[in-house]
Amino acid sequence: MMNPSRLLEALAFAATRHRNQRRKDASASPYINHPIAVATMLATAGHVQDGPLLMAAVLHDTVEDTRTTPREIKAKFGAEVASLVRELTDNKKLAREVRKRLQIEHAAVASPRAKQLKIADKICNIEDIAATPPTGWSKARKREYLDWAEQVVAGCRGVNPRLDARFDQALRRARKKLRLKTRD
Ligand code: NDP
Ligand code: ZN
């Protein structure tokens, strides 16, 4: 097994940075539950044992959603992890529609590790939308999110077939639960 020390340090850092954030579900779950879920998805469904990739998973939303900088991640956890987190970070100064389009475009040219992290992130968010959705989201908004996530993941396939299959299952189940039409 990989040395767990670095992963636990990354988790403690992410927990501190996200300490005042909550998810958008009805019970406003602690935000850190999501990065934990994404790393767990990689390790369990994806059989990933790659230390820097699991560290990047627990850190993946720190730069986008907190005051954390890529430089800080690099100093604490190394260039490899920092580069992966950067690949997962949207530029929040851009308009939502532009960000959405760029995610689809960037996914296809991302590194193989970032592609796996991106799929795990989308699996977790889709499972959340089915089980503990953001409060106030209409069925149409949920459907739009699922359709968009499917387009992002189209560019990430082929690196880790187990994650590809888990994504397909999550999407199918979410659409069934929402009584949305499936494509196949
Ligand atoms: P948001 O980016 O506002 O919300 C989705 C993100 O919220 C997820 O990617 C996830 O990001 C985070 N999140 C936090 N809690 C949850 C949870 N419980 N379940 C799932 N995700 C959670 O939404 P989008 O901009 O992606 O909008 C979705 C779609 O809806 C788009 O296609 C957009 O065009 C459309 N839309 C519709 C509106 C309407 O009123 N009908 C208004 C705005 C957009 P992370 O992994 O980073 O935590
Ligand atoms: Zn995320």
Side-chain angles (χ1 to χ4, degrees), residues 23-24 31 34 96 100 121 125 132 141 144-145:
R23 298 289 283 171
K24 298 170 179 169
Y31 192 86
H34 165 67
R96 180 198 298 263
K100 294 269 151 195
D121 189 28
N125 283 332
T132 53
R141 184 156 185 190
E144 281 170 35
Y145 189 94

Side-chain angles (χ1 to χ4, degrees), residues 5 60 63 72:
S5 301
H60 81 273
V63 174
E72 216 176 346

Side-chain angles (χ1 to χ4, degrees), residues 145-156:
Y145 189 94
L146 300 185
D147 291 350
W148 167 73
E150 186 176 32
Q151 291 182 65
V152 174
V153 167
C156 300

